[in-house]
Amino acid sequence: MTLQEFLSLPHQFRWGGVAGDDCTTFCGTWLRESVGVDPAEAYRGAYNTAEGAHDILATAGSLVAFAAAALEPLGFVRTDDPQDGDVGIVLAPSGMDGGKEVCAIRFGPLWALLAPSGVIAKKLDHVAAWRTPDGERIG
């Protein structure tokens, strides 16, 4: 499946990644479909609210630490030059507080993420990004 095909699917926002995805499991679903590895597998169904998700991230220390702990043991490597299909943490606008960190997929010059309203793609700054275990572009 190509990245464009994946992003075109009818994604539904659901906390916990069961019968839909949230912003974090959305990236896990992309990796499952593109490279056959789901770094979100252990967390699917482990929470079903924003508070449950935030509790998991708080335990990890941060979203970047959580993503690194889920991705790097599977062979994903950090990159400063994200390419199409790479996953990362981006700073997304969020009301008056200036922004929040969310998981996203690199898509050309944009980052695609799953919001409650559906998939959106925006030019955003990344905080951290990871490439596939074999280093191949998967977009």
Side-chain angles (χ1 to χ4, degrees):
M1 173 178 298
T2 69
L3 179 54
Q4 190 165 6
E5 290 168 338
F6 177 76
L7 295 176
S8 296
L9 294 172
H11 296 279
Q12 187 168 19
F13 192 95
R14 293 271 194 259
W15 287 110
V18 176
D21 281 308
D22 56 42
C23 57
T24 304
T25 62
F26 174 68
C27 292
T29 299
W30 160 242
L31 294 173
R32 182 183 68 207
E33 296 300 319
S34 61
V35 296
V37 174
D38 182 4
E41 183 176 16
Y43 298 96
R44 292 182 187 277
Y47 60 98
N48 59 11
T49 63
E51 293 78 18
H54 293 149
D55 289 347
I56 291 170
L57 298 179
T59 299
S62 70
L63 183 55
V64 173
F66 173 81
L71 294 166
E72 291 171 9
L74 298 174
F76 288 81
V77 294
R78 289 281 292 262
T79 180
D80 291 327
D81 181 32
Q83 307 283 323
D84 283 359
D86 290 347
V87 295
I89 310 301
V90 298
L91 190 58
S94 174
M96 300 294 286
D97 64 7
K100 67 177 184 173
E101 292 181 353
V102 297
C103 294
I105 306 165
R106 186 67 173 191
F107 181 54
L110 308 175
W111 286 93
L113 55 102
L114 184 61
S117 60
V119 175
I120 58 173
K122 292 184 168 265
K123 189 166 187 137
L124 299 167
D125 293 326
H126 75 278
V127 176
W130 289 266
R131 180 143 305 132
T132 61
D134 58 14
E136 285 186 31
R137 293 181 66 181
I138 56 176

